[in-house]
Amino acid sequence: MTTAPFPMLPVQGALVAALRGDTGLSALINGVYDFTPEDVPYPFLVVGEAVETPDNRHGGFGRQTVATLHVWSRYRGYAEVLRIGARVTDLLDHQPLAIPGLDWIATRFEFSQTLTDPEPPGDIRHLVLRFRIVTEQH
């Protein structure tokens, strides 16, 4: 019996590899993480939460993984996080991902939102980006 794949982990790995592998993005940030290190200098990007739903077809298994990315900055205003977000979107939106063990079908930008961290001193800017990654089992 064939079982459904669990793509969250390989999708996260593919996202991290695509983002870390781009010199243009590396010039804008101080790292891509799946956690927030204690002393990382701003700006940086965190591959955060994900939601996975079935996207099966007759005779096969598929998944849609919605990944949330977070850009963090101490720049005055949103210009820096928006430039970083634009580069991330260029890298991911409608661009193929190499996902071990799965066939990549699509990557689609869903939304972005700017936020200001309300905690004192209130100088941290935050951009939330969300992408939907569609995969199928080989």
Side-chain angles (χ1 to χ4, degrees), residues 2 35 47 52 61 67 88 95 104 114 117 130-131 135:
T2 303
F35 66 99
V47 177
E52 184 178 283
F61 292 107
V88 169
Q95 300 301 314
W104 171 86
T114 55
D117 189 335
R130 192 163 73 190
F131 293 88
T135 57

Side-chain angles (χ1 to χ4, degrees), residues 45-58:
L45 187 146
V46 175
V47 177
E49 305 77 15
V51 174
E52 184 178 283
T53 56
D55 191 20
N56 299 326
R57 58 183 163 66
H58 182 70

